[in-house]
Amino acid sequence: MSRADVCVVACAEAFRGDGEILAAGIGGAVTVLAARLARLTFEPDLLTHDGVCLLTGDVPALGEAPQVVEGWLPFREHLWLVLNGRRHVMLGASQIDRHGNTNISCVGDWARPKAQLLGVRGAPGNTRCDPTSYWIPKHSARVFVPEVDMVSGLGTDRGAYELRRVVTNLAVLDFGGPGGAMRLVSVHPGVSVADVVAATGFELAGAGDDVPRTREPTEEELRVLDRLDPGRLREREVAG
Amino acid sequence: MTAEQVAASVESGMAVGIGGWGSRRKPMTLVRALLRSPVRDLTLISYGGPDVGMLCAAGKVRRVVAPFVTLDSIALEPHFRRARQTGAIEFTEYDEGMFMFGLLAGAHRLPFLPTRAGLGSDVMRVNPELRTVRSPYGDGEELVAVPALTPDVALVHVNRADARGNAQYLGPDPYFDDLYAKAAGRCYVSCERLVDPADLLKEGPVQSLLISRSMVAGVVEAPGGAGFTSCEPDYGRDEAEQRRYVETPWEDFREQG
């Protein structure tokens, strides 16, 4: 069992209870594996896609084409689905604050940024209309900031529909703190609460002495992960 | 038509809608013709990729209207970044869904369409011209009134077309090319291969006929015309060429063609 395995399972847990909605992982291996793992284990009604525009009837390994296609999901259907709400997406963030406002647009003053990033993409609509979670592979004070430079995804103080959880390479967090503030839910095996606090640029609720450990993957989950990701691409995404 | 004729019809200061998405099925032959033309001060309306990057690098752009600019397999577009970071361009930054509603409003000749996407985010802060509307029904909900996107000219690239402009996509995703065609004052289509109208249904079902000739002002046959972006199923993205584009100084890349 590696740290990446723990992270994938912690991300998969975000989809628990979601039922028959699209579980969408954006980018990299970890979030995509999380959605597929949840579907293959405790959340069998989830819809998952191939990363392009097919809803897959089966659950293929990373990079492999599905044998069964159960639906079509071009970008226009994704954007419809965002407004409809039957979608839970796991996004990334270059900056996140204590209410879960996130930034993927630019660093610095928007009018003339120090670093132009992607643009807001679909984050405003996603966070307003759908349950949203975040996967942040490198938990640091550069990412966990007091104030984000450009609010792309809404926080709990700006009308987010539901921010389910934030999973990082160190910990699991949610927004159950006072006034919808970020709260430490669990630390991954081998990580201390002090590590998480040091890597967070704002006051973190729940960072006391009795923080649970993130659960370890079951043997079944590890077997499924090895089938879905035999090349262990997930390891490359998780900072040590 | 030729790509040069299309480019010559675009005037400085116009708004140009560009089909595709990121680094997928972009009308690059038409974009490259614009690069060679004297046109400038364009407003680009695009789910942006190297189309936006190249036109920014060549100094053709006054404003970009987009929810993102990306090369997909390479997340950040280097020339768009530079243009933003040096203050060379203005930027209207929308949410992806807002952008689609802008195109839908334009296509339906409506002044705006309401949506929730964008509310609460800094999209409202950086676009102070955006207005909200209140639902006239019992819910009274406040929504963003996304103004219609109405390009003067739209440029799209498809797999097949006939000479009169019936345009067909054979890949898995139409993107929003039909909406650009319907929202724009006039639309030019480039295609991998011109075919006889009688042959259009030989390669795809009737649903693959994405754009009607009534929406199209001219057709350019341009094999490879989306390269280095993808044009499934005719070809995938040329990742090596895209990397070269990112790694080569713009003037050198442009000279090397």
Side-chain angles (χ1 to χ4, degrees):
Chain A
M1 175 198 73
S2 68
R3 176 69 57 83
D5 295 332
V6 172
C7 291
V8 172
V9 170
C11 288
E13 282 287 346
F15 298 113
R16 190 181 285 276
D18 274 341
E20 206 162 34
I21 69 169
L22 179 71
I26 296 298
V30 168
T31 58
V32 172
L33 285 170
R36 294 182 188 184
L37 176 66
R39 176 173 172 181
L40 285 172
T41 54
F42 54 79
E43 205 57 43
D45 287 342
L46 284 178
L47 283 76
T48 55
H49 67 98
D50 70 339
V52 187
C53 58
L54 301 178
L55 289 172
T56 64
D58 58 349
V59 183
L62 286 182
E64 287 189 14
Q67 301 298 307
V68 182
V69 173
E70 65 174 349
W72 184 49
L73 202 67
F75 282 116
R76 61 184 64 193
E77 287 294 297
H78 267 286
L79 297 183
W80 159 78
L81 195 54
V82 167
L83 290 172
N84 180 273
R86 222 163 297 173
R87 180 175 192 259
H88 178 176
V89 67
M90 191 152 236
L91 298 174
S94 302
Q95 296 177 324
I96 185 168
D97 72 15
R98 62 191 287 266
H99 288 103
N101 295 292
T102 57
N103 176 18
I104 54 172
S105 170
C106 65
V107 174
D109 178 17
W110 180 88
R112 188 166 170 181
K114 256 188 299 190
Q116 173 66 40
L117 305 175
L118 282 167
V120 295
R121 297 214 65 148
N126 271 296
T127 49
R128 180 77 182 196
C129 304
D130 303 84
T132 304
S133 295
Y134 287 95
W135 159 238
I136 294 171
K138 190 166 173 31
H139 193 140
S140 79
R142 285 177 58 120
V143 178
F144 287 74
V145 294
E147 195 174 348
V148 305
D149 292 329
M150 167 83 182
V151 175
S152 312
L154 310 186
T156 54
D157 59 344
R158 280 179 173 252
Y161 176 84
E162 180 195 357
L163 298 185
R164 188 75 58 82
R165 57 166 49 189
V166 178
V167 178
T168 76
N169 60 318
L170 302 181
V172 177
L173 309 108
D174 69 8
F175 295 91
M182 194 184 287
R183 174 178 71 173
L184 184 57
V185 172
S186 66
V187 291
H188 299 337
V191 177
S192 72
V193 172
D195 294 336
V196 178
V197 169
T200 304
F202 50 81
E203 194 189 337
L204 197 54
D209 296 333
D210 52 351
V211 178
R213 278 203 336 169
T214 309
R215 82 166 173 89
E216 296 184 3
T218 65
E219 290 200 7
E220 185 203 359
E221 285 168 340
L222 290 175
R223 267 198 309 278
V224 171
L225 275 182
D226 282 342
R227 179 179 83 67
L228 292 177
D229 182 23
R232 301 192 73 84
L233 290 172
R234 58 195 182 278
E235 304 291 343
R236 293 191 210 164
E237 214 175 291
V238 181
Chain B
M1 289 183 85
T2 65
E4 282 64 31
Q5 287 171 320
V6 170
S9 82
V10 178
E11 295 165 26
S12 291
M14 277 186 168
V16 181
I18 304 179
W21 172 285
S23 188
R24 309 173 204 212
R25 221 176 71 229
K26 284 290 178 179
M28 298 308 290
T29 291
L30 300 182
V31 168
R32 286 169 195 263
L34 280 181
L35 296 177
R36 294 188 298 269
S37 83
V39 73
R40 48 180 300 178
D41 289 331
L42 298 176
T43 291
L44 303 182
I45 299 170
S46 179
Y47 286 105
D51 52 331
V52 172
M54 286 188 191
L55 288 163
C56 284
K60 301 293 190 188
V61 181
R62 175 188 294 166
R63 173 176 293 274
V64 172
V65 182
F68 58 77
V69 182
T70 182
L71 301 174
D72 293 314
S73 53
I74 299 172
L76 303 182
E77 215 299 339
H79 304 303
F80 171 70
R81 295 193 84 191
R82 189 168 309 111
R84 280 280 287 145
Q85 291 164 196
T86 57
I89 57 165
E90 298 166 24
F91 188 26
T92 299
E93 183 168 5
Y94 282 173
D95 166 271
E96 290 171 2
M98 284 177 71
F99 189 97
M100 177 173 77
F101 272 38
L103 287 177
L104 280 166
H108 290 88
R109 303 291 186 255
L110 292 169
F112 69 90
L113 278 172
T115 182
R116 295 192 182 95
L119 288 174
S121 77
D122 274 345
V123 165
M124 305 303 289
R125 171 173 68 89
V126 302
N127 296 292
E129 74 287 359
L130 284 175
R131 294 287 175 265
T132 59
V133 288
R134 194 166 293 283
S135 165
Y137 298 104
D139 56 285
E141 184 175 355
E142 190 177 21
L143 300 157
V144 187
V146 184
L149 290 169
T150 52
D152 297 298
V153 175
L155 307 176
V156 305
H157 183 77
V158 296
N159 302 92
R160 306 287 179 267
D162 67 27
R164 299 179 75 184
N166 294 302
Q168 179 179 43
Y169 81 109
L170 298 172
D173 198 321
Y175 309 118
F176 298 86
D177 290 5
D178 49 335
L179 296 185
Y180 284 100
K182 290 168 180 167
R186 58 179 194 272
C187 175
Y188 296 103
V189 171
S190 62
C191 63
E192 288 298 312
R193 189 148 54 81
L194 266 180
V195 296
D196 189 277
D199 290 337
L200 281 169
L201 294 187
K202 286 185 176 165
E203 287 189 86
V206 68
Q207 298 95 317
S208 66
L209 299 177
L210 187 62
I211 303 172
S212 156
R213 63 184 167 83
S214 66
M215 300 290 150
V216 175
V219 179
V220 177
E221 186 174 42
F228 51 83
T229 75
S230 64
C231 187
E232 305 285 352
D234 290 313
Y235 45 88
R237 185 181 303 123
D238 185 339
E239 298 287 356
E241 182 63 7
Q242 178 160 285
R243 263 196 309 281
R244 190 174 76 81
Y245 165 69
V246 168
E247 290 164 3
T248 310
W250 169 248
E251 291 305 330
D252 298 343
F253 183 85
R254 191 173 176 176
E255 272 172 33
Q256 293 157 14

